Amino acid sequence: MAGIRSAALPSPRRPDLPARGRGEGRHGDRTRLWYENVLGWPTVPGVPPRLVVGVRFDVLDVPAEAGGAALERLGGAAGGFPVALQKDRMRLLIAAGGADELPGLLEWLEWGGLGLDLRALGEGRLMDAPAPWTAGAGPDAPRGHPAAGRPGDGRPNSPQGAAVWLRPPEPGREAEASLPTLSAMGTRSPRGVGDGPPDLVRLVNTVATQVHRVRLRRSGAGAAVHGVGQPLAFS
């Protein structure tokens, strides 16, 4: 598809590791304890540890290129909920139960039957847990310490292919309040109606649109490489 550019992804962010995790012998143990003790999110041990989906949140799993374009299109409305990246996939955290709504939403929005590369992870599923301490800072660096840097200041020092936070969950507040959900009254924030995260309908429609556009652009590029004519022009 002509005229569609790849969205620049924000630099990954990681909140600092709290003091209670400093005594753990392995990074995986400290990561798991951070999620369980600070956020109250259930985990499963492993290398890497994994977060249990469907209890505190569900996940929209989309191609990273389309997800980045969707976040850019949503602008400030997309600024409140956690977003993770792993390899070429982006994971957008949504309210628990949202995964069950996805098939019906896609049909209602007239995206059903197109085979979009858009998946929802709900109850019984797992996702790799991004390491929660700040990239480039030791686990003992307190919040605000110069070694910890500022949000968005650097790429993670993590193994290739490991999950990282583009926008981490924030300790000290209920993460569920920031997650997109279905709402007939509009989304809310402390500042008022319509100033919180996007409604799940709006998020799904925006993501589906960008997934479709990326697919059209790639199929058009493939046709051009093979010398296949394109009778229709997309903008």
Side-chain angles (χ1 to χ4, degrees), residues 1 214-226 228 230:
M1 176 184 295
V214 168
R215 183 169 66 177
L216 286 176
R217 187 180 69 251
R218 290 179 177 175
S219 64
V225 168
H226 291 88
V228 178
Q230 292 180 284

Side-chain angles (χ1 to χ4, degrees), residues 201-216:
V201 175
R202 181 183 177 193
L203 177 63
V204 168
N205 191 49
T206 304
V207 170
T209 298
Q210 298 307 321
V211 170
H212 187 54
R213 287 182 173 180
V214 168
R215 183 169 66 177
L216 286 176

Side-chain angles (χ1 to χ4, degrees), residues 40-187:
W41 290 3
T43 66
V44 172
V47 182
R50 290 173 291 176
L51 302 176
V52 178
V53 180
V55 178
R56 301 290 296 272
F57 61 87
D58 285 356
V59 175
L60 288 182
D61 183 284
V62 304
E65 182 179 358
L71 294 180
E72 184 178 50
R73 181 61 61 93
L74 288 166
F81 61 96
V83 178
L85 183 71
Q86 185 168 21
K87 297 184 180 178
D88 61 348
R89 305 295 298 184
M90 185 177 288
R91 287 164 184 158
L92 313 174
L93 271 60
I94 61 175
D100 294 335
E101 305 289 346
L102 182 63
L105 279 179
L106 291 175
E107 289 292 337
W108 185 70
L109 293 166
E110 299 185 351
W111 289 113
L114 295 182
L116 297 180
D117 188 8
L118 170 59
R119 302 189 292 267
L121 309 180
E123 185 176 1
R125 301 297 297 275
L126 303 169
M127 65 171 277
D128 287 356
W133 48 87
T134 301
D140 294 328
R143 184 172 299 279
H145 189 281
R150 296 184 300 276
D153 267 351
R155 294 284 172 176
N157 181 18
S158 58
Q160 185 175 6
V164 295
W165 285 116
L166 293 180
R167 186 186 304 129
E170 295 185 19
R173 75 174 192 179
E174 288 295 326
E176 287 82 352
S178 71
L179 301 181
T181 185
L182 286 176
S183 172
M185 301 299 293
T187 52

